[in-house]
Amino acid sequence: MKALLLLLFAQLCSSSVVPEREKDPEYWRGQAQETLRTALRLQRLNQNVAKNLILFLGDGMGVSTVTAARILKGQLQNRKGEESLLEMDQFPYVALAKTYNTNAQVPDSAGTATAYLCGVKANEGTVGVSAGVTRDRCNTTKGQEVTSILRWAKDAGKAVGIVTTTRVTHATPSAAYAHSANRDWYSDGEMPPDALEGGCRDIARQLVENIPDIEVILGGGRKYMFPKNASDVEYPHEDKHRGTRLDRRDLVQAWHDAKPPGKVAKYVWHRRDLLALNLSRVDFLLGLFEPGDMMYELDRNNETDPSLTEMVAVAIRMLQKNPRGFFLLVEGGRIDHGHHEGKAKQALHEAVELDRAIGLATRLTSAQDTLSVVTADHSHVFTFGGYTPRGNPIFGLAPMQSDVDRKPFTSILYGNGPGYKIVAGERENVSAVDFAHANYQAQSAVPLRQETHGGEDVAVFARGPMAHLLHGVHEQNYIPHAMAYAACIGSNRGHCNAAGRPAAAATTILLPFLALLFLL
């Protein structure tokens, strides 16, 4: 049997699947030499001040997800896939980030968000607070609040924005503006009585009150902004989408009322209205396009809901109006949800859409003054393998059957999750199901209602001023410190002169003149 498997493998890997140009050794030598020339050009470091900062966060986008998304992107373009390049692949600097929370080996999205936004590692389930705060214990919060790079940018006079495909009160975006002992306290309707009595505020309220001059907020999460049982504007007859607020407040109105006199604040909930805005006449923008999280990209109603790329385009054009620059947080948040549900096709299409948004942002900005960073908060127990041949459909079968139960298996599998299925006492035969369906749940080794995060390091891709500071293996909380250093914001500004230029860059410019004076 082993010999037969090896023969099958050899046949599948035969020259018929190899592109003709790749048979020529000169193709690979030429490619390597071009890569070498690019690497040598990086010796001339970009030490400009980062006027703009963009942090792209793929929630749950571990390295295996990045690789699979790259293959999917290529196959969507009718290519084999493996040779394709994601937009993030073309960023010149790459690092690894250690994702553990202060109390968790395998982290959650709240503690990690506090790390890469606030620069401080924290306990799982908490946002915008130090590790001195225990999850669910409101009375441990006071005095333990930590501020984010969004706040540092705002304090420096920059415009700031948040774009996400989840609720705008979800773990990732909330760490940018909120301080909470529980990531799930989206509105006061989700808070226990002792937390309300203890004076803790829900995350939606903090979105409106803590930093009221955030210029752009785009994502989902309408229901947390409106009174309990208030009908949703888009789904008026669906109870699950009704408002959740016990205090009966309309936080969209409160958001509008908090703006300075003479400033124009626009709230939209429909794609048409978002794209029709004259951004030159808008100072503040709030867009909430679903009651909860936004729809998966594969399921999105492209009449009512904007894509992540469309939201990013609007956000950048809004923020670019500020002559001092901007900070923008962009989250592809539903990569994580797809994986939790065991729906790899949903997760990978979300990752491809995030990459599309990265490409657009790259075209709308310049690497001379914009530091762009792409990373993930954590990984997932998602994998693909099985000795698949070149160009194998990423959602396809491995080229062999199991030599134990004699059944086929998909290349994509999960270590645990809802895809564990036993039929007649045996593993389900996947050839009898539509494993290419968007909602197919890939098989898993251990049955769980929700698949879990993975604990390995995640990649950090960087491009622009001071991108070389992201290199090697770092603690995750290092990321905002490096970004702030590049932009001369936050507490570490000793390297910046009065004009905001890093001293190293200023010295580099002055060296030729100093040399000339010496010769004279």
Side-chain angles (χ1 to χ4, degrees):
M1 173 56 73
K2 185 176 181 180
L4 286 173
L5 288 174
L6 289 172
L7 178 62
L8 174 62
F9 177 71
Q11 289 173 338
L12 287 167
C13 293
S14 66
S15 61
S16 62
V17 301
V18 179
E20 199 61 34
R21 66 179 182 176
E22 294 183 15
K23 297 177 184 178
D24 183 354
E26 288 305 313
Y27 166 76
W28 297 106
R29 291 167 183 150
Q31 183 193 72
Q33 289 300 313
E34 179 57 35
T35 302
L36 178 60
R37 287 190 288 273
T38 300
L40 289 169
R41 287 195 292 272
L42 294 176
Q43 303 308 304
R44 298 190 292 273
L45 298 179
N46 180 347
Q47 298 187 79
N48 297 339
V49 175
K51 175 183 177 182
N52 310 311
L53 299 170
I54 308 178
L55 178 56
F56 296 95
L57 193 286
D59 199 312
M61 191 177 69
V63 172
S64 57
T65 297
V66 171
T67 307
R70 178 190 304 131
I71 294 171
L72 173 59
K73 177 181 178 179
Q75 293 181 349
L76 290 172
Q77 298 169 343
N78 297 315
R79 301 167 65 186
K80 290 185 180 295
E82 299 85 358
E83 74 290 347
S84 300
L85 286 174
L86 293 168
E87 298 290 343
M88 65 187 88
D89 290 338
Q90 299 170 70
F91 282 27
Y93 296 96
V94 182
L96 291 175
K98 298 158 67 176
T99 65
Y100 67 91
N101 295 150
T102 45
N103 66 340
Q105 184 179 78
V106 177
D108 91 313
S109 295
T112 52
T114 303
Y116 62 74
L117 286 172
C118 303
V120 174
K121 286 224 172 192
N123 291 329
E124 63 88 25
T126 65
V127 291
V129 291
S130 75
V133 173
T134 304
R135 185 170 186 168
D136 293 325
R137 292 180 58 185
C138 168
N139 61 0
T140 65
T141 305
K142 190 172 182 180
Q144 300 298 323
E145 300 89 350
V146 291
T147 58
S148 76
I149 188 170
L150 182 143
R151 165 74 80 172
W152 309 340
K154 174 54 68 174
D155 289 346
K158 294 183 184 295
V160 296
I162 295 168
V163 176
T164 180
T165 52
T166 67
R167 290 152 277 187
V168 295
T169 50
H170 209 249
T172 295
S174 67
Y177 58 82
H179 315 285
S180 180
N182 190 316
R183 57 175 285 179
D184 297 327
W185 291 350
Y186 303 125
S187 77
D188 57 352
E190 286 77 39
M191 296 178 68
D194 66 295
L196 293 171
E197 293 163 6
C200 283
R201 293 176 298 147
D202 63 89
I203 294 170
R205 182 178 165 191
Q206 292 189 58
L207 172 62
V208 172
E209 296 178 350
N210 285 5
I211 311 178
D213 51 352
I214 297 175
E215 280 82 357
V216 179
I217 304 167
L218 299 174
R222 275 196 304 264
K223 66 181 179 181
Y224 306 110
M225 310 292 281
F226 293 104
K228 187 172 179 63
N229 292 325
S231 296
D232 182 72
V233 64
E234 188 175 4
Y235 310 102
H237 304 299
E238 297 190 34
D239 290 346
K240 66 179 180 180
H241 294 319
R242 292 180 181 274
T244 65
R245 301 202 60 79
L246 299 178
D247 60 11
R248 311 300 300 169
R249 292 183 67 188
D250 178 341
L251 289 187
V252 171
Q253 187 61 51
W255 169 84
H256 193 279
D257 293 344
K259 301 300 173 283
K263 297 293 184 179
V264 177
K266 291 287 187 180
Y267 166 66
V268 295
W269 62 268
H270 197 288
R271 175 179 180 268
R272 175 191 59 237
D273 297 330
L274 175 73
L275 300 183
L277 288 171
N278 182 344
L279 299 180
S280 66
R281 299 180 179 178
V282 178
D283 300 300
F284 299 96
L285 174 60
L286 173 62
L288 301 175
F289 303 100
E290 287 290 333
D293 299 319
M294 296 187 70
M295 305 293 284
Y296 285 124
E297 178 63 19
L298 286 178
D299 301 335
R300 179 172 62 89
N301 181 331
N302 57 20
E303 291 186 6
T304 59
D305 290 356
S307 68
L308 179 61
T309 302
E310 289 171 334
M311 291 192 291
V312 167
V314 170
I316 290 176
R317 292 186 177 108
M318 270 280 292
L319 300 176
Q320 283 177 328
K321 295 187 296 181
N322 188 323
R324 294 188 179 182
F326 65 83
F327 169 81
L328 175 61
L329 171 64
V330 178
E331 183 195 19
R334 303 218 64 197
I335 301 168
D336 177 71
H337 296 173
H339 281 322
H340 278 309
E341 295 176 359
K343 299 174 181 177
K345 191 164 190 175
Q346 297 283 14
L348 295 185
H349 276 272
E350 292 296 304
V352 169
E353 175 59 21
L354 173 63
D355 196 65
R356 188 176 295 118
I358 294 167
L360 176 83
T362 299
R363 293 188 294 275
L364 291 178
T365 58
S366 167
Q368 292 305 303
D369 67 359
T370 302
L371 173 60
S372 299
V373 176
V374 182
T375 190
D377 46 357
H378 55 74
S379 186
H380 276 266
V381 292
F382 162 86
T383 187
F384 70 101
Y387 299 119
T388 46
R390 178 75 179 272
N392 198 71
I394 191 62
F395 303 115
L397 294 174
M400 79 247 324
Q401 293 184 348
S402 165
D403 57 3
V404 176
D405 67 10
R406 314 297 178 188
K407 289 184 173 65
F409 60 96
T410 54
S411 172
I412 286 176
L413 297 167
Y414 287 95
N416 57 51
Y420 180 94
K421 289 183 177 64
I422 298 297
V423 178
E426 297 182 341
R427 182 172 67 91
E428 182 179 51
N429 190 330
V430 294
S431 63
V433 299
D434 183 5
F435 50 78
H437 191 278
N439 290 320
Y440 170 71
Q441 293 176 306
Q443 291 186 340
S444 65
V446 175
L448 287 177
R449 290 186 177 88
Q450 289 272 301
E451 176 264 6
T452 72
H453 295 168
E456 71 269 24
D457 299 347
V458 297
V460 185
F461 305 85
R463 168 187 179 267
M466 295 291 179
H468 55 277
L469 297 179
L470 291 159
H471 68 102
V473 180
H474 303 297
E475 294 286 0
Q476 193 170 43
N477 66 292
Y478 169 73
I479 294 171
H481 291 282
M483 295 182 73
Y485 183 95
C488 288
I489 63 174
S491 59
N492 183 6
R493 296 194 300 272
H495 61 292
C496 304
N497 63 19
R501 178 186 301 280
T507 302
T508 300
I509 292 172
L510 289 172
L511 278 176
F513 300 102
L514 293 173
L516 179 62
L517 287 173
F518 180 78
L519 291 172
L520 293 174

